[in-house]
Each structure stands twice: as C-alpha cells, then as structure tokens.
Amino acid sequence: MKVLLPDSTDLDLPLPEAVTYAVGTPIPEEHTDAEVLVVWNNPGDQLADAARRLPRLRWVQTLAAGPDAVLKAGFGPDVLVTNGAGLHDYTVAEHALALILAAARRVNLLVRAQIGRRWASEWGGNQPRKETANFRTLRDAHVVIWGFGGIAAALAPHLVALGARVTGVARKPGERHGFPVVTADDFPQLLPTADVLVMILPDTPQTRHALDADVLALLPRHAWLVDVGRGSTVDEAALLAAIRAGDLGGAALDVFETEPLPVASGLWDEPNVIVSPHGAGGRPLGAEDLIRENLAAFRAGRPLRNPVERLPPD
C-alpha cells in the first residue's frame, strides 16, 4: 500500500511504503497507484489533478484543521477524508491571543507611530483605569468565541487567566471544557455585551458570510473582531463599512476571502485593522502521531480519527 507524503512540512515518519512528493507539481505518473494521500498546503489545482489521476486512492489525510480545500478538489465519494483537527490548537490559540492583546494595547497604532518616528504620547503615560467606551484590557472583558472546538478550548483558559469572561458559540448549547456555550440564536442578547468576538469557524456553505451587517450591528461600537478561522465566514465589505462608520472598534484578521489580500483592499489602510498573513497555524504539531494512528486503523479496517462528513451535492 503506497502512502504519499507531502514535502511541505518536515515529517519525521519513516515508513517503508511512503513516498515523498512535491506539493507544487502534479504527482508523478509512477506514483498514481497510491492508496493514501497526505496533504498539507497543496494548491487547489494540484489537489484537483490528484483527484482525477489517482484511481486507486482510498483515503486522503489533510493536516489542515479545515478540510475545505480537499473537499473542493473533487475526490470521489468512496475516498475517505480525515482532517488535522487538534494539530493546530495551540499555535492558533497563541496567535489569536497575540492579536487580541495587540488590539487591546493598540500595538497597530504604536507601530504606525514608530514608522513615522512619532512619540505616541496618547497611548502612554496616565491612562484611565476603566474604559467602558474602549477595549483596552482583558481584565473584566467579555470575549465571545464563535466556533468552540479544540482551538477555543486551548485559547479560553489564557483569556480567563488574564481576567476575561468567556462565552462560546456553537451549533449546540451547553457546557464545553468548563465554559458556557450558546447558539447563534442567542446573539441579540449576547453580542451587545461582547468586548471581543473571536471567530474560529470552518469554511462551509452554511458559514459563508456568517458575520454580516446584521450580526455586526449587534456588537457594541468599541468591540473588536478577531478572525483566525476562515476568511469566507466574514462579509468583508460589511466589516469595512462598520469600521469606517465608527460602528466597530476594529478588526484583527488572519484570514481573508481572497489570499493574499489584494492590494486594492480597503482593509490595508484602516488604522484599526490588523492584517496577519494567515500565519496562525502553519505548524501541524503531532502530525506524525495522527498519521501513524490513522494508518494503523486504516489497515485494520477500524474507524479513523477526525473523519470528515462528505455531504452529497445539492
């Protein structure tokens, strides 16, 4: 059974049946008999080519938490897909925390002042101990995390340690990892109390532009948006309009509808927008263990970890 491993990450995985392939070019003809394909940062056209040219393929293991790129490639319904959920929990949580703190402490404006060699005295010296009209600290702040999975579970304790209160939003209400979780139906009561809205939603037809003008209108004027999920979940035109109108404090974005973010995008020029180049993840920690575990289960005919539901087309 031939297993194809990508050259896009330094996998320490000596397997006699494994072959390393280049993600930037079509898979060589001599390896189109592979039954297992591991992918990481593969371009969409390369994945689509693999879907067409690997007739014996039975399983695709993506190391990304979101399987959207694999699902869009056109692999047959008989091909099992598993994702990399859990491999990015700590790195994305760390990046999200960095963006939240940068927003609170206005690091974006400090950097702009530094570039202009201007001493930003308005952000130094004496500061109010409490600012109800601005998001300036995690102490007593209310952070709402929309998409409460493994990344949120890694992030939330750090927010609490810095004094914040955390509420999760998911498809089903209840309690997860010790935190209260509600559904989007509760937004009219929940979002007006938020100081920060963190989005960690996947890219699905149901989540496209989940954050639209109507949802943005529920947030207080001082609130910040932080998105470390998928760019397709945010209506960027509505977000930009809200920030320019002063109806939202700002946004720290690691993901965008089009990546790289086009030069013409108005998000670049907004002082209260922090642009991060999809850098929250990028390091699939524990990938070897996941591949070994799933490979053993695959050989034995047992259920694999992180299976992705393949919905039939509409």
Side-chain angles (χ1 to χ4, degrees):
M1 181 174 62
K2 183 178 290 185
V3 178
L4 298 182
L5 300 177
D7 68 352
S8 49
T9 186
D10 52 344
L11 290 172
D12 183 14
L13 201 63
L15 297 170
E17 66 271 58
V19 174
T20 299
Y21 70 96
V23 301
T25 59
I27 291 172
E29 191 65 33
E30 62 267 28
H31 298 316
T32 57
D33 58 344
E35 296 180 60
V36 179
L37 176 66
V38 179
V39 305
W40 174 240
N41 280 348
N42 298 53
D45 57 350
Q46 198 257 13
L47 287 174
D49 179 77
R52 289 191 300 268
R53 295 179 50 243
L54 272 63
R56 298 183 59 188
L57 193 67
R58 297 165 56 201
W59 165 37
V60 177
Q61 170 70 67
T62 175
L63 302 183
D68 41 288
V70 171
L71 296 181
K72 292 174 182 176
F75 291 98
D78 56 331
V79 176
L80 176 66
V81 176
T82 53
N83 67 28
L87 304 183
H88 307 275
D89 290 357
Y90 295 107
T91 54
V92 177
E94 182 178 30
H95 200 84
L97 180 62
L99 292 177
I100 294 169
L101 290 172
R105 294 298 179 164
R106 301 299 192 267
V107 174
N108 53 311
L109 300 182
L110 298 179
V111 170
R112 284 174 175 253
Q114 179 181 351
I115 292 172
R117 300 195 176 195
R118 183 181 70 84
W119 185 262
S121 56
E122 67 273 25
W123 301 113
N126 290 335
Q127 300 290 320
R129 291 191 297 167
K130 292 186 178 181
E131 290 191 66
T132 57
N134 289 289
F135 168 58
R136 291 302 312 275
T137 177
L138 279 172
R139 285 178 288 104
D140 301 321
H142 185 197
V143 180
V144 175
I145 304 179
W146 192 0
F148 209 84
I151 295 169
L155 172 63
H158 296 288
L159 299 173
V160 171
L162 291 170
R165 175 169 64 94
V166 174
T167 302
V169 179
R171 286 179 293 181
K172 294 182 180 180
E175 183 178 293
R176 296 189 188 181
H177 311 287
F179 295 94
V181 174
V182 301
T183 70
D185 291 338
D186 296 289
F187 274 176
Q189 296 77 39
L190 178 69
L191 292 188
T193 72
D195 298 293
V196 183
L197 174 62
V198 180
M199 294 185 64
I200 320 179
L201 293 176
D203 176 14
T204 69
Q206 294 73 31
T207 62
R208 176 168 175 76
H209 287 186
L211 186 76
D212 57 14
D214 292 337
V215 177
L216 285 164
L218 295 172
L219 290 164
R221 296 169 67 91
H222 71 271
W224 271 69
L225 168 70
V226 175
D227 189 5
V228 291
R230 285 292 185 267
S232 62
T233 65
V234 174
D235 182 339
E236 290 180 3
L239 174 64
L240 188 58
I243 292 173
R244 285 176 170 171
D247 294 330
L248 192 71
L253 308 171
D254 185 54
V255 289
F256 302 88
E257 291 194 77
T258 301
E259 295 180 0
L261 182 64
V263 174
S265 172
L267 294 170
W268 286 111
D269 297 321
E270 289 301 311
N272 284 324
V273 172
I274 299 173
V275 174
S276 171
H278 204 144
R283 308 164 187 83
L285 305 179
E288 293 90 348
D289 291 340
L290 175 62
I291 296 170
R292 287 192 194 96
E293 178 184 334
N294 271 352
L295 191 56
F298 184 73
R299 287 185 178 125
R302 301 192 308 269
L304 274 63
R305 180 175 147 196
N306 297 346
V308 175
E309 183 179 3
R310 305 287 299 278
L311 297 176
D314 294 335

